[in-house]
Amino acid sequence: MRIARFSIDGTVGFGVLEGDELDIIKGHPFGGIERSGRRVPVDKVRLLPPVLPSKVVAVGRNYAEHARELGNVVPEAPITFLKPSTAVLGPDAPVPYPGFTADLHYEAELAVVIGRLCREVPRERAHEVVLGYTCANDLTARDVQQREAQWARAKGFDGSCPLGPWIETDLDPSDLAIQCTVNGEQRQLGRTSEMVRSVADLIVHITEAMTLLPQDVILTGTPAGVGPLHAGDEVSVTIEGIGTLTNKVVKS
Ligand code: MG
């Protein structure tokens, strides 16, 4: 099932995507989905970020090839960092090129959408806390990341976390093609099977330390091929079985 969050005529809601229509859900999709039977054509709505997370927990260097391309090794323990709620943008929303960087990079990533409050999740129950998956772009001020020990500014600036276009709930995340294009040209192509730590491993690791809430998001790392973006570029993240998240970089 594909669940989109949308706005139309000033109201915001969730809907299940069926063909080119959204079947509107009563309330929200966390804790059970109740359809209203009211349908709206998807080209009549504006798609929003599929969730508004209290936090985005991201993982660095989770694909060995990508760690190597930046001169790093795969860390013994996963590197985790937070992107704030204010980093989140929806599909087709413009990304303002931040004024404090001269080297904005794309990073295509599989995003895990958490469906229920959870902590200290055992590995064999990790799948129970996942509502579904969407595409993410872990936008990074690479020059700032290299200058500053903590990545709060480099990876947490406004608009640094485009998410979408919707949540796919019926998906095995273990071996999906993941691609990034810039202006239609392929820049990254990998498979989620290349991840050093699986989705389940990351859920265990993160929830050892913190409670995850419904709508929270885990970014699972990016494959090799990261590179710069410029004002005017159109950047797309495509993940097999989910769809394509596209955003345009604009002058801020
Ligand atoms: Mg990343």
Side-chain angles (χ1 to χ4, degrees):
M1 183 190 306
R2 286 182 170 170
I3 302 169
R5 188 168 152 271
F6 66 92
S7 72
I8 186 168
D9 301 332
T11 50
V12 172
F14 289 92
V16 175
L17 189 65
E18 282 174 349
D20 52 8
E21 288 187 327
L22 284 168
D23 190 348
I24 298 171
I25 291 172
K26 290 185 183 166
H28 59 71
F30 302 93
I33 290 171
E34 200 185 337
R35 299 188 185 212
S36 71
R38 285 187 298 127
R39 301 171 82 88
V40 59
V42 74
D43 62 0
K44 293 279 186 289
V45 307
R46 185 159 67 94
L47 291 181
L48 300 174
V51 282
L52 289 180
S54 78
K55 56 192 168 296
V56 176
V57 189
V59 179
R61 297 170 199 160
N62 199 30
Y63 288 73
E65 272 299 307
H66 165 64
R68 274 195 286 276
E69 76 179 338
L70 294 179
N72 299 305
V73 294
V74 172
E76 224 160 272
I79 296 174
T80 52
F81 58 94
L82 295 171
K83 288 166 93 83
S85 57
T86 43
V88 171
L89 283 184
D92 302 314
V95 174
Y97 198 111
F100 70 102
T101 177
D103 197 18
L104 179 66
H105 275 208
Y106 53 81
E107 293 190 1
E109 307 207 3
L110 175 73
V112 183
V113 178
I114 298 298
R116 58 154 95 165
L117 184 146
C118 59
R119 64 189 294 264
E120 294 179 351
V121 178
R123 199 177 188 293
E124 64 277 10
R125 299 192 62 187
H127 64 279
E128 295 176 25
V129 307
V130 176
L131 176 67
Y133 300 88
T134 191
C135 306
N137 198 337
D138 175 21
L139 293 170
T140 301
R142 193 70 71 200
D143 47 355
V144 178
Q145 185 191 23
Q146 282 156 356
R147 277 201 304 269
E148 299 181 3
Q150 299 274 330
W151 300 348
R153 291 198 329 140
K155 284 176 171 283
F157 56 86
D158 290 354
S160 60
C161 191
L163 293 174
W166 41 66
I167 303 162
E168 172 58 67
T169 60
D170 303 309
L171 195 65
D172 174 353
S174 60
D175 187 23
L176 305 171
I178 175 165
Q179 182 192 43
C180 181
T181 64
V182 178
N183 304 324
E185 202 175 281
Q186 185 178 290
R187 300 292 176 84
Q188 291 182 285
L189 181 63
R191 298 198 70 84
T192 57
S193 52
E194 298 160 22
M195 282 185 199
V196 177
R197 275 104 185 173
S198 69
V199 168
D201 291 342
L202 296 176
I203 290 170
V204 171
H205 187 71
I206 291 163
T207 63
E208 272 177 10
M210 68 184 83
T211 300
L212 294 177
L213 303 178
Q215 305 200 60
D216 281 351
V217 168
I218 298 173
L219 302 191
T220 56
T222 197
V226 298
L229 290 167
H230 303 96
D233 283 347
E234 193 176 82
V235 58
S236 294
V237 174
T238 300
I239 300 178
E240 183 182 2
I242 301 174
T244 298
L245 165 70
T246 297
N247 298 89
K248 192 166 181 169
V249 182
V250 298
K251 262 205 174 80
S252 55

